[in-house]
Amino acid sequence: MIKTSKLLAPLGAAASALLFSSAIYATSHDPAAIQASALKDSLAYEITEGLTTEVGPRQAGTEAEARARDWSVKKLKSLGFQNVRNEPFMMPTWVRGEETAEVTSPFPQKFHVTALGNSASTGAKGIEAEVVHFASLAAMKAVPDGSLAGKIAFVTHNMHRAQDGSGYGAFGPIRWVGPAIASQKGALAYVIKSIGTDYHRNPHAGNTNFPDGVKPIATGALSLPDADNLERMVKLARNTNTPVKMKLVLTPQNIGNQESGNIIAEVTGRDPSKGMILVACHLDSWDLATGAFDDAAGCGIVTAAAKQIMDHGKPLRTIRILWAGAEEVGLWGGKAYAKAHAGDKHAIAMESDFGADNIWRVEFNLPDEAKAVREQIAQALLPLGIGASGPPATGGADVRDIIASNNLAVIDLQQDGTRYFDLHHTPDDTLDKIDPKQMRQNVAAWSTVLSIIANSTADFTKPEKE
Ligand code: ZN
Ligand code: ZN
C-alpha cells in the first residue's frame, strides 16, 4: 500500500486539496458525493454477471436456487457486509416437464408453448381438443359453468408497452386467475397469449394458482405471434363451422416441499435503536433464462447502493439487504421474512424488481413528520432526471408482507418498464439486456436515497391505521 504522504509529496497544492476534499467525503454521508461516486459503480453489474454466469437459472426450491444461495453468501461476505446469512424455509415446488403445442386441424402446425407454474400434467400422451377463444377474461367468465367441458379454453389480450408497466396489472389476471376460472367452467386445459409485449416466438413463463377445491388443469402460455396465429385460425374456421383442434403435451410435476431460503446481509448502523432500512430484491428466477432483468439486476442495484453507504462510513441506521428466495412461485421468501422478522425494528422498506433501466420517478409513503426528508430526496434526485410524483409508494412483492404487518413507511424508485415485458420470464432475460449506464443511474438513485434516510433522525413511524 502507498502511504498518503508519499503520494501527496510530488503533487501540487491544488491536487492535494482535491485529494483532501475527497478524503473528507470518504468519511461523510454527503448525498451529492455519494451520488457522484455511485455513478461510477461497477458492483451492480458484477453481481448480475456473477449470478447469471456462475449460477444461471435459479428456480425456487431446486438445486440451482440452493447453489445461488451459496454463491450469494460467499459474495456478500467477500464484499464486507455484516451478519451475512441464509435463513432457510420450506415451500411446495413445481418443476417443468416436456412441453409442446400443435394445431392438428384444420391448419396443422407447431407452436411455442411453456407451462404456467402449478399447471397440471396432460400426461405423456397429451390431450387433443377443440380450442374455444375468448378475447378477454371477462368474456370467459361470462359463459355458463360446464360449458367448456372437453375444450381447451384460450384467452388473448391487447397489452401494450408502457413506461409504468401498467399493462401487467390490467392483463396479468389472464394468467393469475384465468386457469382456475377455466377449470371451474369445466375446461380440459387452458392456454393464454403470453403476458408480454415482445412479439418474438418466446412464451413467457409465470405462476398461476388453483385455490382449494378447484381442480388443477393443464395450462400453458403461447408465444405472442403463435397466439395471434391461433386467434386467426379460430376466426377463419368459424366461417366454415370447423373446429380448430390443438394437441397439448405438458408434463410438469409437483415434487413436494423443498428448501428455499432468504439471504440477508447488513450494513450495521451506529444506533441500532433507530429503525432499520430494508432493501430487497429476489434471488430466484424462472428457469427459461438466467434471470438478469428479473431479478439479478435488482439484487445488484440494492447491494451496490448499500455498499456505497458502507464505504462512506457507518450510517446512523442499519441497512438490511434481503435477497428473497422463491418470489416467482408464490412470494414465499417475503412471507417467511415477515414471519421471522416481525419483531425487528424497521423504519422504511424499499425493493428493486423491475429490471435495470433508468429510474424516472420516486414515490413516497412517509408520515407527514418526514416531509422535510421527502423534499430533500426529491431535490437530490433531480440531477438524475427523476421526478417526485405519482401514487403513494406501495413497495414490491418481497416486502409487501412486512410492510403490511409492521405498517412500514415505503419509498419506490420506479424504473422505466417500456421494454420490461419484452423480456419478463422469457428465454431472452439474459445479461446482454442490461445497459450498464442505466444500471449505474439506478445505483446512483438508490445510493442517494439511502444516504439520506439511513442517516436521518426523522421519525418514519406511520400513524396506526384506524
Ligand atoms: Zn421479479
Ligand atoms: Zn418475475
Side-chain angles (χ1 to χ4, degrees):
M1 192 193 268
I2 303 168
K3 283 246 172 71
T4 314
S5 55
K6 268 194 189 156
L7 190 72
L8 290 180
L11 302 175
S16 66
L18 202 71
L19 276 176
F20 183 60
S21 73
S22 63
I24 289 175
Y25 284 150
T27 54
S28 81
H29 297 282
D30 177 55
I34 288 175
Q35 186 176 101
S37 164
L39 279 169
K40 295 188 220 104
D41 171 73
S42 59
L43 178 59
Y45 190 88
E46 184 186 307
I47 288 169
T48 311
E49 183 175 15
L51 277 171
T52 55
T53 309
E54 295 168 48
V55 183
R58 308 172 289 285
Q59 196 187 326
T62 68
E63 62 75 35
E65 199 202 28
R67 274 190 287 120
R69 285 193 294 282
D70 291 345
W71 185 94
S72 305
V73 166
K74 225 188 264 175
K75 183 72 181 173
L76 290 162
K77 278 186 178 165
S78 78
L79 289 167
F81 289 107
Q82 290 101 45
N83 305 325
V84 178
R85 61 199 189 265
N86 171 30
E87 295 186 349
F89 57 86
M90 303 296 285
M91 35 74 65
T93 302
W94 171 97
V95 290
R96 194 178 301 291
E98 208 185 314
E99 34 197 32
T100 61
E102 63 183 300
V103 170
T104 51
S105 90
F107 311 114
Q109 52 186 292
K110 289 180 176 168
F111 284 158
H112 291 237
V113 71
T114 197
L116 296 180
N118 291 320
S119 167
S121 173
T122 59
K125 287 191 182 140
I127 52 153
E128 188 176 356
E130 180 184 347
V131 174
V132 183
H133 172 243
F134 299 100
S136 69
L137 194 59
M140 183 175 72
K141 272 185 191 163
V143 302
D145 285 356
S147 64
L148 295 177
K151 307 273 171 59
I152 299 174
F154 165 49
V155 177
T156 55
H157 62 80
N158 195 26
M159 180 170 167
H160 292 288
R161 288 183 183 80
Q163 187 180 31
D164 66 358
S166 50
Y168 194 54
F171 299 107
I174 290 170
R175 188 188 88 214
W176 307 330
V177 299
I181 295 167
S183 171
Q184 284 164 326
K185 304 284 182 189
L188 188 59
Y190 176 78
V191 291
I192 58 169
K193 178 174 177 174
S194 283
I195 304 301
T197 51
D198 55 305
Y199 288 88
H200 291 178
R201 287 191 83 185
N202 285 330
H204 294 233
N207 221 39
T208 191
N209 265 304
F210 295 97
D212 287 346
V214 178
K215 183 182 159 218
I217 56 173
T219 166
L222 298 169
S223 82
L224 284 93
D226 287 332
D228 281 6
N229 199 352
L230 183 58
E231 191 178 336
R232 286 192 297 274
M233 288 178 186
V234 171
K235 274 183 191 143
L236 274 175
R238 201 173 287 147
N239 299 334
T240 55
N241 256 333
T242 328
V244 171
K245 286 194 168 176
M246 187 157 81
K247 185 177 178 194
L248 206 55
V249 180
L250 301 171
T251 60
Q253 289 177 59
N254 291 309
I255 57 168
N257 266 356
Q258 304 293 330
E259 189 169 310
S260 179
N262 286 328
I263 302 300
I264 287 180
E266 289 171 357
V267 178
T268 50
R270 300 192 302 276
D271 185 354
S273 73
K274 291 263 180 291
M276 69 183 149
I277 311 295
L278 179 66
V279 297
C281 62
H282 64 87
L283 180 58
D284 66 311
S285 78
W286 274 107
D287 54 335
L288 303 181
T290 55
F293 243 44
D294 188 13
D295 183 28
C299 292
I301 290 162
V302 305
T303 307
K307 176 81 161 57
Q308 283 289 337
I309 307 306
M310 185 166 72
D311 289 350
H312 285 78
K314 237 182 204 306
L316 178 66
R317 295 168 188 269
T318 292
I319 299 171
R320 180 180 283 170
I321 302 166
L322 166 63
W323 292 12
E327 187 267 359
E328 296 290 6
V329 295
L331 318 183
W332 299 101
K335 288 174 200 162
Y337 179 86
K339 213 168 148 195
H341 296 284
D344 297 356
K345 193 171 180 196
H346 296 78
I348 298 180
M350 299 178 66
E351 177 164 331
S352 178
D353 184 15
F354 204 47
D357 283 348
N358 279 331
I359 291 166
W360 61 286
R361 180 163 82 182
V362 55
E363 298 161 7
F364 300 93
N365 191 346
L366 299 177
D368 288 345
E369 289 69 31
K371 208 170 166 215
V373 175
R374 185 193 158 113
E375 272 313 299
Q376 192 190 354
I377 292 172
Q379 286 301 318
L381 291 176
L382 287 175
L384 298 172
I386 300 165
S389 66
T394 55
D398 298 300
V399 290
R400 182 194 291 170
D401 281 49
I402 192 76
I403 289 169
S405 63
N406 289 26
N407 192 29
L408 295 184
V410 190
I411 299 174
D412 284 338
L413 289 168
Q414 296 292 4
Q415 293 157 303
D416 189 327
T418 309
R419 65 181 182 130
Y420 187 72
F421 291 103
D422 290 355
L423 305 168
H424 185 243
H425 299 179
T426 72
D428 255 354
D429 182 2
T430 48
L431 183 66
D432 51 287
K433 308 308 182 304
I434 304 284
D435 172 357
K437 192 171 176 231
Q438 295 196 61
M439 185 173 234
R440 281 193 290 272
Q441 187 259 15
N442 275 257
V443 177
W446 273 80
S447 301
T448 305
V449 173
L450 287 186
S451 71
I452 294 169
I453 59 179
N455 291 296
S456 172
T457 54
D459 184 359
F460 295 115
T461 313
K462 280 165 57 188
E464 284 303 319
K465 285 177 198 141
E466 297 283 304

